[in-house]
Amino acid sequence: MNPIYENIRQEVIKLCKSQNLMAQPVRVRAHALSTEEAIGHPEADDFPLQKGKEKLMQAHFLDAAGQAFTDRYGDFDGVLKNVLHLKLENNFQRAVFVATINAVLRHMKQIAKTIHCHDRGPNECAGELVRYLESTHGSPKVAQIGFQPRMVEALAANFPLRVLDLDPDNIGARKFQITVEGPGNVKDVIDWADLLLVTGTTLVNGTIGDFLGQKPILFYGTTIAGTAHLMKWDWFCHRST
């Protein structure tokens, strides 16, 4: 396991102990959401959620909820202490852990924006991302990690762009005039890029260590909301709630 997970774990435990939560019995539930529950009715049908590749796990902690994308999903019942001591050996355990962090930090009012946007939200977010990058980075060569269709569509029209993805159905496919590349090209893509735009799902699938410390990095998506806050990582997710 990458040491970053232990760093995250210790930060969360320290925060929860400071709030006297670790000693209290707490029930946490995570469940896979349907596509409609997760993203509503977007205008296109090319999101991974709609294709059955991934689902959003939703954790409930007291009065708050938090989510995480994963390709390995199911239910979990336990207490906060147990979640924070999961071995994090697979995508399911990491999804429970990450979604719970989001719910706990939202309960503490440390963060907001832990619920995926709906309907036109992805389109609007992509437009705002273009404006954000122009204002903060100028005209960077962008490496997007994770095929988020509306973002790829918007970025390809405005920046030099390369896209990496793990889905075999996407790798080698031509999307918005960009050929999606696979994990074998990670080093070449990173060397080429000025900025890495990295999906928070890398925190769940265990690939986040491939990108940290390489180039300036901007994470996106609700999955990494709480962890980005804890670790002081740059993060973009303008239309989540």
Side-chain angles (χ1 to χ4, degrees):
M1 184 175 65
N2 190 294
I4 190 63
Y5 291 97
E6 193 57 35
N7 294 340
I8 294 165
R9 188 199 309 275
Q10 293 308 316
E11 287 294 323
V12 180
I13 288 174
K14 180 171 63 176
L15 185 59
C16 290
K17 284 183 176 179
S18 74
Q19 299 283 328
N20 295 317
L21 293 175
M22 294 293 287
Q24 297 181 19
V26 179
R27 186 177 186 197
V28 180
R29 174 173 291 276
H31 68 279
L33 302 180
S34 69
T35 301
E36 185 173 346
E37 286 176 312
I39 60 174
H41 300 280
E43 296 173 336
D45 60 359
D46 51 358
F47 285 88
L49 273 172
Q50 294 168 301
K51 294 179 178 293
K53 300 289 186 179
E54 296 178 337
K55 290 190 182 294
L56 275 172
M57 295 281 285
Q58 183 159 302
H60 296 274
F61 179 81
L62 299 178
D63 58 348
Q67 296 178 335
F69 271 104
T70 182
D71 62 352
R72 189 170 177 180
Y73 39 86
D75 291 340
F76 178 92
D77 287 287
V79 297
L80 181 57
K81 181 179 179 180
N82 290 347
V83 173
L84 297 183
H85 286 91
L86 285 170
K87 292 182 178 181
L88 308 182
E89 294 176 331
N90 56 51
N91 289 1
F92 172 73
Q93 291 177 345
R94 288 189 289 263
V96 172
F97 178 77
V98 170
T100 299
I101 289 174
N102 289 336
V104 168
L105 293 190
R106 182 154 192 162
H107 165 71
M108 293 179 181
K109 297 183 169 50
Q110 297 268 333
I111 61 169
K113 295 182 177 292
T114 61
I115 304 299
H116 198 288
C117 60
H118 283 62
D119 303 329
R120 284 193 52 80
N123 290 62
E124 295 166 352
C125 180
E128 291 183 23
L129 175 62
V130 169
R131 292 187 288 275
Y132 176 80
L133 293 183
E134 288 174 339
S135 67
T136 56
H137 293 275
S139 300
K141 292 185 291 184
V142 179
Q144 179 160 343
I145 316 304
F147 179 70
Q148 204 281 7
R150 298 291 72 75
M151 287 184 175
V152 173
E153 183 178 23
L155 293 173
N158 290 277
F159 302 99
L161 178 69
R162 292 174 74 175
V163 179
L164 289 168
D165 199 56
L166 291 176
D167 184 350
D169 291 343
N170 287 334
I171 296 170
R174 195 77 174 161
K175 307 277 190 178
F176 311 111
Q177 308 306 311
I178 301 291
T179 299
V180 180
E181 301 175 63
N185 290 9
V186 167
K187 184 180 186 304
D188 183 59
V189 170
I190 290 175
D191 289 344
W192 170 86
D194 298 317
L195 173 70
L196 306 183
L197 180 66
V198 179
T199 173
T201 311
T202 56
L203 186 62
V204 172
N205 67 27
T207 63
I208 191 169
D210 294 341
F211 309 105
L212 288 170
Q214 301 286 327
K215 290 286 180 75
I217 189 167
L218 176 65
F219 288 102
Y220 68 90
T222 54
T223 299
I224 205 164
T227 300
H229 172 77
L230 285 172
M231 306 305 289
K232 298 180 172 55
W233 293 336
D234 290 338
W235 174 69
F236 183 93
C237 196
H238 276 207
R239 290 294 171 174
S240 52
T241 58

